[in-house]
Amino acid sequence: MGIYVNPRNVAFRRILNGDIYIDKTDLILETNNKIHKPDCFLCVSRPRRFGKSMAADMLVAYYSKGCESQELFAGKKAEQIPSFKKHLNQHHVIRLDVQRFLETKRDLDRFIGEMERRIVSELMDEFSECGKFEKQTRLKDALESLFYETGQGFVFIIDEWDCVFRMAKDRKEIQKEYLDFLRGLFKGAEYVELAYMTGILPIKKYGEHSAINIFGEYSMVDPKNLGKYFGFTSEEVLEQCHLYGADYGEIEKWYDGYLLGGLHIYNPKSVVDALTWKKIKSYWTGTETYEALKVYIDMNFDGLKEAVTTMLGNGRCRINTRRFQNDMTTFVTKDDVLTLLVHLGYLTFDEMTEEVYIPNQEIQQEFLNVIDGPGWDGLIQALNRSEELVRSTWEMDEKAVAEGLGRIHNETASILQYNNENSLTCTILMAYYSARAYYANPVMEMPAGKGFADVIYIPKQGMDKPALVVELKWDKSAKGAIEQIKERGYADWIAGYTGEILLVGVNYDKGEKVHQCVIEKLGKD
């Protein structure tokens, strides 16, 4: 047993000794089903604070011949897996935390050789009965030799696989060398029984030359069947809230919102911190810095700031994730930036609609921290006006709503260029930012209508507030917007809602540079 070859189960034992532990050991069913198969290569990427290392440590404790772990899995979900005993501590494991070899940027030029040297040295000790290797033996050569001499293969558990791309953002030659190393280590290698890699980013796309296309990818964009292992599920969080006497509604509002494989997933580290310290707040800044988010949303891509503004108003933005190069430097469009923010955990991605949005109040707070500064002039002031505008809408004060929209428009003119209907939508979402306290996330372009930029706000359960059906016009009339709502039956879409419904027609007169508003009430019938 060693640090890298057949390590012990110390790390997993420490995890189990924590005050809060949620059993995810049934992940072993998914990995056992891959052993010795052509698709035994898994790259599971998720943000910091989402339990990547914990999963890796659990798999090491389960597979490694360097320890006895049956007691650690006693009573856990893994025990119910038919193949549990077959693979329990029956495999030679090579465990790598790549970040340990990259403490400073000076390590970039030598870390591959250092990893190989240390692992080969431990292999010589572990397989002392076999012939000695030369000091400079490449890792893949040593593994091939051992496999053909002993017939025994290896399970690879690699954590922080992508830290090279975060540290060497502008050093393409280092990135290429590292990808070539991984490709040489795994592609066509008979000694690989299972390879489980985890990091923040999916596999880097580097043309055909260096692509590690043998790996199946499970990510925040496409979790496949592993979504429930990316964080805590609603049922798991509800159970912990009962145990700790916490308000589930508040925990849900602050830390839920990540949509993975149709499941609502919570940020696990934040939930644990909130339950441990009995305080609801943003715990994100403990590991992710203010600059990390600011650098990306300040990028000068057409439509990026409008997209961020839309999402701050609880809206969604449709993006194309397929062109993202899976690194932190290759950006061509705003979609590339927004896709990266999904992988970093600042946004979540709805596979069904191909839309991104801000998942919860914790992340919303991080965005608000960033936009309170240069480059986002007026946006904080605009958002601060929102509560007053929402109340003016309830009071059906058309003049106050129109004037409020005008002020928000003026305060954000540098962000929203006001050359299309999309900018008008952004203004509405900013104007009704405070509505998130009373309403579910707005429904954009409702299915029943044909309008370009309709927005619907439906009250949260228990909120005695009117539903809002908003129709936007550009150089037409607010009254015409109201008529369109009626003629096309937009309010019929929420016919099951039994409370009051307010129809809000908004028009922006480009020539006069003014907003007009008409508000009408529909009866409860």
Side-chain angles (χ1 to χ4, degrees):
M1 65 188 70
I3 298 174
Y4 310 105
V5 178
N6 292 337
R8 300 174 180 175
N9 56 23
V10 176
F12 185 52
R13 185 182 297 274
R14 185 178 295 116
I15 292 167
L16 294 177
N17 288 335
D19 292 332
I20 298 176
Y21 172 74
I22 292 182
D23 187 358
K24 297 287 184 178
T25 59
D26 47 337
L27 171 63
I28 289 170
L29 172 64
E30 307 297 339
T31 54
N32 279 358
N33 286 339
K34 300 292 185 182
I35 288 180
H36 295 135
K37 293 182 180 178
D39 59 345
C40 65
F41 302 89
L42 295 81
C43 181
V44 183
S45 58
R46 40 184 153 161
R48 295 180 190 272
R49 305 160 45 84
F50 275 72
K52 296 186 299 296
S53 297
M54 293 175 67
D57 292 335
M58 182 266 292
L59 292 175
V60 167
Y62 174 69
Y63 287 115
S64 176
K65 283 188 173 184
C67 54
E68 294 289 337
S69 300
Q70 184 161 348
E71 59 160 322
L72 299 184
F73 290 94
K76 303 293 187 295
K77 294 177 182 178
E79 276 195 320
Q80 306 304 314
I81 298 170
S83 60
F84 173 72
K85 290 186 177 180
K86 176 182 179 181
H87 296 288
L88 178 63
N89 301 130
Q90 296 300 308
H91 295 265
H92 289 297
V93 169
I94 293 179
R95 166 74 154 100
L96 267 179
D97 182 344
V98 179
Q99 191 163 275
R100 293 184 62 178
F101 294 88
L102 289 170
E103 295 180 0
T104 70
K105 289 189 176 182
R106 293 192 300 272
D107 297 323
L108 285 168
D109 294 304
R110 57 176 182 266
F111 81 99
I112 294 177
E114 185 63 16
M115 283 195 305
E116 293 191 287
R117 184 188 68 78
R118 293 191 194 182
I119 298 171
V120 169
S121 176
E122 287 196 7
L123 286 171
M124 291 171 65
D125 293 335
E126 186 72 21
F127 296 88
S128 57
E129 72 279 7
C130 298
K132 294 292 183 181
F133 305 116
E134 295 293 331
K135 190 173 182 179
Q136 301 301 323
T137 301
R138 295 296 305 271
L139 175 58
K140 67 174 184 177
D141 295 333
L143 293 170
E144 284 181 349
S145 176
L146 289 172
F147 178 72
Y148 285 114
E149 190 167 344
T150 67
Q152 299 184 63
F154 296 84
V155 169
F156 293 81
I157 310 293
I158 301 179
D159 197 11
E160 299 287 355
W161 88 271
D162 62 325
C163 67
V164 177
F165 301 97
R166 305 198 300 272
M167 290 189 68
K169 292 181 181 179
D170 300 314
R171 297 193 60 181
K172 302 298 185 185
E173 78 284 359
I174 294 292
Q175 297 178 19
K176 177 179 175 299
E177 181 184 1
Y178 177 57
L179 286 171
D180 284 344
F181 163 71
L182 292 176
R183 186 182 58 169
L185 182 64
F186 292 126
K187 196 156 190 177
E190 295 180 335
Y191 52 74
V192 178
E193 296 177 339
L194 174 73
Y196 181 96
M197 292 202 313
T198 185
I200 294 176
L201 298 174
I203 299 291
K204 162 69 180 167
K205 297 176 183 177
Y206 217 125
E208 295 182 0
H209 175 66
S210 298
I212 316 175
N213 55 15
I214 55 174
F215 275 85
E217 297 197 48
Y218 305 77
S219 72
M220 297 295 282
V221 168
D222 183 16
K224 299 184 174 69
N225 60 326
L226 299 187
K228 67 179 181 179
Y229 304 110
F230 277 60
F232 295 164
T233 65
S234 300
E235 293 77 15
E236 291 165 343
V237 174
L238 182 60
E239 181 180 358
Q240 293 299 314
C241 286
H242 288 326
L243 290 173
Y244 282 81
D247 185 336
Y248 175 72
E250 283 297 299
I251 295 288
E252 180 183 34
K253 180 172 69 176
W254 273 82
Y255 311 118
D256 184 17
Y258 295 95
L259 195 60
L260 293 164
L263 298 172
H264 277 267
I265 297 297
Y266 288 65
N267 181 328
K269 182 64 167 60
S270 294
V271 171
V272 169
D273 286 346
L275 295 178
T276 299
W277 304 114
K278 300 187 183 304
K279 190 171 184 179
I280 305 293
K281 67 171 191 176
S282 175
Y283 291 96
W284 194 266
T285 52
T287 52
E288 293 286 351
T289 63
Y290 162 90
E291 291 80 7
L293 177 58
K294 182 173 178 59
V295 164
Y296 295 111
I297 71 171
D298 278 350
M299 287 186 169
N300 189 28
F301 286 106
D302 184 43
L304 179 57
K305 289 191 174 182
E306 285 85 350
V308 171
T309 303
T310 295
M311 291 185 289
L312 279 169
N314 295 316
R316 294 181 170 209
C317 295
R318 187 178 177 86
I319 67 168
N320 179 356
T321 63
R322 292 174 287 279
R323 292 184 296 185
F324 180 58
Q325 295 299 300
N326 296 345
D327 64 24
M328 306 181 90
T329 55
T330 309
F331 304 111
V332 179
T333 68
K334 69 175 177 62
D335 288 3
D336 297 330
V337 177
L338 297 177
T339 303
L340 174 62
L341 293 182
V342 173
H343 291 298
L344 294 178
Y346 287 114
L347 298 175
T348 192
F349 180 69
D350 187 333
E351 289 184 83
M352 296 297 293
T353 63
E354 297 190 326
E355 294 173 320
V356 290
Y357 57 95
I358 297 173
N360 52 49
Q361 193 159 325
E362 180 180 44
I363 302 302
Q364 185 106 358
Q365 188 59 54
E366 296 306 306
F367 274 90
L368 291 176
N369 291 340
V370 169
I371 66 169
D372 191 9
W376 297 87
D377 298 335
L379 187 51
I380 289 293
Q381 292 89 328
L383 297 178
N384 287 339
R385 294 184 186 277
S386 176
E387 182 71 23
E388 180 183 352
L389 191 139
V390 171
R391 294 190 179 279
S392 295
T393 304
W394 293 338
E395 295 165 3
M396 300 180 65
D397 189 337
E398 299 169 343
K399 181 179 179 182
V401 172
E403 290 176 351
L405 290 172
R407 285 194 292 269
I408 290 173
H409 171 193
N410 292 333
E411 288 165 345
T412 58
S414 63
I415 299 173
L416 306 177
Q417 297 303 313
Y418 259 83
N419 55 4
N420 56 35
E421 291 89 340
N422 187 56
S423 293
L424 182 56
T425 305
C426 289
T427 297
I428 292 295
L429 291 172
M430 280 191 295
Y432 287 97
Y433 168 77
S434 294
R436 74 192 196 285
Y438 315 99
Y439 294 88
N441 287 343
V443 180
M444 310 291 295
E445 298 195 33
M446 59 183 178
K450 301 178 182 178
F452 178 79
D454 302 309
V455 186
I456 290 182
Y457 290 92
I458 301 176
K460 293 179 180 178
Q461 189 172 3
M463 284 290 176
D464 186 20
K465 302 297 180 186
L468 307 179
V469 179
V470 185
E471 175 68 15
L472 311 176
K473 291 298 180 185
W474 181 271
D475 277 339
K476 293 182 181 177
S477 75
K479 187 65 178 175
I482 293 289
E483 293 305 316
Q484 181 168 314
I485 294 175
K486 295 177 179 178
E487 291 172 2
R488 301 191 182 182
Y490 289 166
D492 295 345
W493 187 74
I494 52 174
Y497 173 70
T498 58
E500 289 185 341
I501 300 174
L502 294 183
L503 311 183
V504 183
V506 174
N507 178 64
Y508 177 65
D509 189 317
K510 184 177 179 182
E512 298 293 331
K513 295 185 177 179
V514 295
H515 294 80
Q516 300 148 353
C517 179
V518 173
I519 303 175
E520 291 188 11
K521 182 187 296 184
L522 286 184
K524 291 189 177 183
D525 57 345

